[in-house]
Amino acid sequence: MQFLFNFIYLFLVALGLRCRCGERGVLFVAMRPKVMWHLLRRYMASRLHSLRMGGYLFSGSQAPQLSPALMRALGQKCPNLKRLCLHVANLSMVPITSLPCTLRTLELHSCEISMAWLLKEQDPTVLPLLECIVLDRVPAFRDEHLQGLTRFRALRSLVLGGTYRVTETGLDMGLQELSYLQRLEVLGCTLSADSTLLAISRHLRDVRKIRLTVRGLSAPGLSVLEGMPALESLCLLGPLITPEMPSPHEILSSCLTMPKLRVLELQGLGWEGQEAERILSKGLPHCMVIVRACPKESMDWWM
């Protein structure tokens, strides 16, 4: 199997494609659909578990695009594919029904989707194993799409990044029907942190991990999480821009009421190495307290 992956890697490099080998069973490739067709027909292995693919969303109308036929072929040739990450791809003509039915994780980064992609009335048997969906800078994603996620009964993890069309009312209604979620991330959206936490406290009583941008976060807003019975990990991300941001003592007070909290991460708040870090670390001896700056993000989608 390793020989096959090495061969594919060298083959792609010989074609002048930019690619990278990741962990076992994972291949990161920047290629045109025509080349992808060639690999599917001749080289793709049944043991491929994870694949990242980039599209040509910003390259003009004449640029090659991903097609339903390519997605269906991917499912046929790679029956063990569990994770598919699509970047800068135009999926408006690719129905979700054409995606491999074996997927457990689907990531969309800077992609375009149609209004019909995730609507509630579509076939509930599509992607029956899907456990995690990441929607990162998907401009068309809106309240109706969020409510349509309820047909994925295996879904346990949801990441909303920069989905600016989702409203506070839409999030509240959507989470009401997604009460089985165990992980929720709301990052860089127009929603306030207080309204997001209020919706979580109302509907996601079994949530284990929350990751949230602190825009609009206040001490009363954070207090709605007090007593959350299953919460194990809480991550608050900066930048710190509002005077209403809870103080370290207020964060400590709320966290002490969370019986299963084991990880508290504060990222990009400018508190690393400061008194705030010492207060939280001392006050939460049962937790792993992580206080750090925001990591620099790579501009390359395949990294």
Side-chain angles (χ1 to χ4, degrees):
M1 182 62 183
Q2 188 60 47
F3 171 79
L4 176 60
F5 265 77
N6 290 340
F7 174 77
I8 294 176
Y9 178 80
L10 293 174
F11 174 75
L12 295 173
V13 171
L15 289 176
L17 299 173
R18 190 165 185 178
C19 54
R20 179 170 67 90
C21 291
E23 62 269 23
R24 187 175 181 180
V26 183
L27 188 62
F28 304 97
V29 190
M31 68 177 71
R32 288 177 170 268
K34 186 175 181 180
V35 178
M36 187 70 183
W37 268 116
H38 184 70
L39 287 176
L40 284 173
R41 288 177 177 141
R42 300 195 58 182
Y43 302 109
M44 278 295 185
S46 61
R47 290 180 62 187
L48 185 68
H49 292 166
S50 181
L51 178 67
R52 288 185 184 268
M53 296 176 62
Y56 296 84
L57 182 59
F58 308 116
S59 301
S61 60
Q62 301 303 314
Q65 301 296 338
L66 301 181
S67 67
L70 178 60
M71 291 293 103
R72 285 192 288 268
L74 186 63
Q76 293 169 0
K77 294 291 185 178
C78 305
N80 294 307
L81 188 65
K82 302 291 192 298
R83 180 174 179 238
L84 179 62
C85 306
L86 301 176
H87 296 253
V88 290
N90 185 355
L91 304 174
S92 57
M93 301 301 292
V94 180
I96 196 170
T97 54
S98 66
L99 298 185
C101 63
T102 56
L103 292 182
R104 295 182 182 274
T105 297
L106 174 63
E107 297 187 19
L108 304 181
H109 301 270
S110 299
C111 292
E112 192 61 65
I113 62 174
S114 69
M115 273 301 297
W117 234 67
L118 291 167
L119 294 186
K120 200 171 184 178
E121 57 270 17
Q122 288 188 351
D123 186 355
T125 64
V126 174
L127 300 179
L129 305 177
L130 191 66
E131 298 174 351
C132 173
I133 185 165
V134 176
L135 297 149
D136 174 30
R137 291 162 292 175
V138 181
F141 188 83
R142 59 187 68 204
D143 293 347
E144 294 86 349
H145 291 128
L146 180 61
Q147 294 166 24
L149 295 179
T150 57
R151 64 192 168 141
F152 302 124
R153 303 311 297 178
L155 192 67
R156 295 296 179 269
S157 180
L158 172 62
V159 178
L160 301 176
T163 50
Y164 63 88
R165 293 184 186 272
V166 175
T167 66
E168 293 181 0
T169 301
L171 181 69
D172 188 74
M173 292 178 61
L175 294 188
Q176 185 175 1
E177 299 189 56
L178 291 168
S179 59
Y180 43 83
L181 285 180
Q182 296 179 356
R183 170 193 172 211
L184 178 65
E185 301 188 17
V186 182
L187 311 171
C189 300
T190 56
L191 303 168
S192 73
D194 279 7
S195 65
T196 300
L197 291 179
L198 182 59
I200 292 173
S201 68
R202 284 176 175 170
H203 308 303
L204 305 186
R205 300 302 297 177
D206 294 326
V207 70
R208 297 180 182 177
K209 181 175 182 179
I210 298 172
R211 208 159 169 259
L212 185 70
T213 302
V214 298
R215 177 184 175 275
L217 180 63
S218 67
L222 182 62
S223 69
V224 301
L225 290 184
E226 293 181 1
M228 288 290 281
L231 187 60
E232 299 172 357
S233 176
L234 175 63
C235 179
L236 302 176
L237 288 85
L240 181 57
I241 56 176
T242 58
E244 295 82 11
M245 177 70 188
S247 68
H249 288 288
E250 289 170 327
I251 293 176
L252 175 60
S253 177
S254 292
C255 290
L256 285 172
T257 70
M258 304 171 191
K260 291 192 176 181
L261 190 68
R262 293 297 177 265
V263 178
L264 172 64
E265 182 175 352
L266 305 173
Q267 190 176 115
L269 302 182
W271 289 358
E272 56 272 15
Q274 304 296 319
E275 180 64 19
E277 184 173 0
R278 290 187 285 273
I279 290 172
L280 292 167
S281 297
K282 182 178 179 180
L284 297 168
H286 59 289
C287 277
M288 177 187 298
V289 177
I290 304 168
V291 183
R292 62 181 177 182
C294 287
K296 292 183 179 179
E297 293 186 7
S298 171
M299 297 302 292
D300 296 331
W301 62 259
W302 51 83
M303 297 302 291

